[in-house]
Amino acid sequence: MSGSSTIYRSSTTAPVNIAVIKYWGKRDTALNLPTNSSLSVTLSQKSLRTHTTASCSESYSGPDSLILNGDKEDIQSSKRTQACLKHLRSLRQQLEAKDTSLPKLSKLTLRLVSANNFPTAAGLASSAAGFAALVRAIADLYELPQSPQELSLIARQGSGSACRSLMGGYVAWRAGTKEDGSDSLAEEVASVSHWPQMRALILVVSAEKKGVPSTAGMQTTVETSTLSPARFKDIVPKRMQDIEKAIQERDFETFARITMQDSNSFHAICLDSWPPIHYLNDVSRAAMNAVETANRKAGKLIAAYTFDAGPNAVIYYLEENAHKVAGVIKNILPWTSGWEGEFGEAIPPNEFGSLEQKTLMTLKAGVSRVICTAVGGGPEKVENHLIDEQGNAIRD
Ligand code: ADP
Ligand code: DP6
């Protein structure tokens, strides 16, 4: 069917990623080009995901729109969203110019409807999954031939970390050196199947909107932190090499050490900024303590903590150590929500995994929810649409 009443639709789901080498600093704010490369683990969409439908039709009028979790978002004044839409439209235009029989979708109003199955703007990487899903859904709607790597350049302009959510497994974002950003893109370092045993336990300390947003925070750091140049120039490039090797060799101890060192280095440059930026709190420090205790008892590194721009802890560990790492937390927080589902149910509570009393009490009082997840795949096309056949938004 074609003609003015046709409603074109395409839907996708996209994952969250949590970096083990952090992106914190831009060398170009307009193009969203980073001061350093970064590396993340894509997390399973069985636990955290964004679901987005992109649609266009001659019957739609007015400006492009986005409904996010049931509320209209102001995308007209979002330069980043506009940059993504413009780029995707121009790629569609090129296709239409080459093949004049194609419907002129690039000229039509876009309606976007999206839902995150976890709190938005709470330090759980909603912008990463959100922009990856937006770009993938529109690219599919426009039937673009571009690879995930080429699309990562577009998602990067929405939110830097989003470029890493266009792929599954272990993903590097190469900082690149070109001024136009054409070499600043994501690359798969290893697939999920290379090291599928990686697990992540997220301790949600706060699902509130975060204090200092990443975009503003990293600018303050670039402008004021005296420690940050060494991080950008020497520390991160060396760590990127070492952690990539550790991933290739499935060397968890090296992976864990670098992950914790890099999280600490990122929070150190935040504290070294002026005015100082504090993202960690007592609950975060209790989570660090729990990880250190598990490692001490095991006599080797079996768990690694990492924190983004907020107090929530992400703890990486291998499936074989679920009992010694996540099991200790499950034993002290059995009634906290989030242990249900495939990954959580596989964690045996550990009655013998003792923690210091203060750590235990702080975690009990401060963790509002847990998320049990694992390394997972990239965006997936789905037939379940959030816009009906008449072009109206449906709630997820
Ligand atoms: P977070 O820590 O959750 O990534 P940010 O403040 O960095 O928080 O980003 C939140 C912003 O990302 C939202 O205000 C919205 O503009 C954008 N965003 C989040 N989810 C989506 C989505 N599903 N689709 C499009 N944009 C989204
Ligand atoms: C601490 O990707 O949210 O999570 O590009 O300004 O949108 P913008 O920033 P964003 O920053 C993420 C920062 C981080 C580290 C990381 O994911 O690498």
Side-chain angles (χ1 to χ4, degrees):
M1 188 177 72
S2 67
S4 65
S5 58
T6 309
I7 307 282
Y8 299 92
R9 295 180 295 177
S10 190
S11 298
T12 191
T13 61
V16 157
N17 70 77
I18 297 291
V20 289
I21 301 289
K22 306 293 186 189
Y23 149 54
W24 195 255
K26 299 178 205 277
R27 65 172 200 276
D28 182 319
T29 49
L31 290 172
N32 241 2
L33 299 179
T35 48
N36 59 266
S37 296
S38 54
L39 195 143
S40 57
V41 180
T42 297
L43 298 182
S44 172
Q45 295 178 61
K46 287 180 191 157
S47 310
L48 301 173
R49 56 123 194 89
T50 291
H51 179 190
T52 298
T53 298
S55 169
C56 62
S57 169
E58 270 181 45
S59 66
Y60 297 171
S61 56
D64 299 331
S65 61
L66 166 66
I67 296 178
L68 173 55
N69 295 328
D71 293 323
K72 203 158 183 263
E73 280 269 306
D74 174 15
I75 56 168
Q76 303 316 314
S77 54
S78 161
K79 282 196 189 140
R80 292 155 165 233
T81 310
Q82 292 304 324
C84 294
L85 300 186
K86 195 172 155 205
H87 202 141
L88 290 159
R89 274 205 166 92
S90 84
L91 292 174
R92 173 67 192 185
Q93 258 161 7
Q94 287 169 25
L95 285 187
E96 291 166 1
K98 267 195 227 143
D99 178 354
T100 51
S101 71
L102 288 176
K104 304 280 181 289
L105 303 189
S106 63
K107 302 269 182 290
L108 306 181
T109 298
L110 277 169
R111 274 188 197 167
L112 305 162
V113 178
S114 184
N116 300 330
N117 72 343
F118 57 93
T120 298
L124 288 172
S126 72
S127 59
F131 277 103
L134 180 140
V135 168
R136 184 77 255 179
I138 300 174
D140 289 347
L141 177 75
Y142 287 169
E143 298 185 328
L144 300 181
Q146 272 71 20
S147 65
Q149 182 163 69
E150 289 166 301
L151 294 178
S152 77
L153 281 173
I154 307 179
R156 187 203 75 223
Q157 297 169 60
S159 181
S161 53
C163 74
R164 300 185 310 239
S165 273
L166 278 161
M167 292 162 205
Y170 302 81
V171 184
W173 172 12
R174 307 291 176 203
T177 51
K178 293 191 182 157
E179 262 179 44
D180 67 356
S182 56
D183 58 350
S184 184
L185 37 74
E187 190 174 271
E188 185 191 279
V189 165
S191 64
V192 183
S193 61
H194 170 75
W195 206 7
Q197 296 85 358
M198 187 66 73
R199 296 289 174 272
L201 171 67
I202 307 179
L203 305 182
V204 182
V205 173
S206 161
E208 299 288 304
K209 289 212 170 197
K210 55 195 182 194
V212 181
S214 341
T215 309
M218 61 178 85
Q219 246 357 73
T220 306
T221 301
V222 169
E223 285 159 15
T224 64
S225 162
T226 54
L227 298 178
S228 67
R231 172 173 166 81
F232 302 152
K233 192 170 158 288
D234 302 317
I235 299 170
V236 167
K238 170 84 171 79
R239 280 190 188 143
M240 281 294 290
Q241 275 185 359
D242 293 350
I243 205 163
E244 283 183 50
K245 183 163 174 278
I247 292 168
Q248 297 306 347
E249 294 173 355
R250 300 185 193 89
D251 168 2
F252 187 84
E253 283 212 77
T254 305
F255 172 89
R257 175 179 53 75
I258 298 175
T259 295
M260 292 188 276
Q261 284 177 320
D262 201 72
S263 174
N264 293 336
S265 156
F266 152 50
H267 290 280
I269 60 167
C270 285
L271 200 58
D272 183 51
S273 304
W274 195 263
I277 305 165
H278 304 258
Y279 286 125
L280 306 181
N281 64 18
D282 286 350
V283 192
S284 319
R285 282 181 280 272
M288 288 174 158
N289 195 276
V291 166
E292 282 161 359
T293 304
N295 287 336
R296 206 169 38 247
K297 282 193 153 192
K300 59 178 187 173
L301 301 184
I302 58 166
Y305 56 73
T306 186
F307 299 83
D308 279 345
N312 301 329
V314 178
I315 302 173
Y316 284 116
Y317 60 95
L318 294 178
E319 188 183 15
E320 67 197 38
N321 290 316
H323 181 245
K324 292 181 184 158
V325 182
V328 177
I329 309 286
K330 193 176 194 178
N331 192 52
I332 60 171
L333 303 173
W335 311 116
T336 305
S337 76
W339 296 110
E340 61 285 349
E342 179 187 328
F343 299 116
E345 278 158 20
I347 300 169
N350 185 343
E351 290 158 36
F352 305 102
S354 59
L355 288 176
E356 277 169 29
Q357 193 62 12
K358 188 175 161 217
T359 301
L360 196 145
M361 299 310 287
T362 310
L363 291 176
K364 272 191 171 178
V367 175
S368 58
R369 159 187 179 188
V370 298
I371 296 167
C372 303
T373 186
V375 60
E380 283 170 30
K381 192 168 182 181
V382 292
E383 291 310 320
N384 173 13
H385 300 300
L386 297 176
I387 295 178
D388 68 16
E389 286 169 1
Q390 283 70 46
N392 302 310
I394 316 170
R395 280 214 81 129
D396 194 18

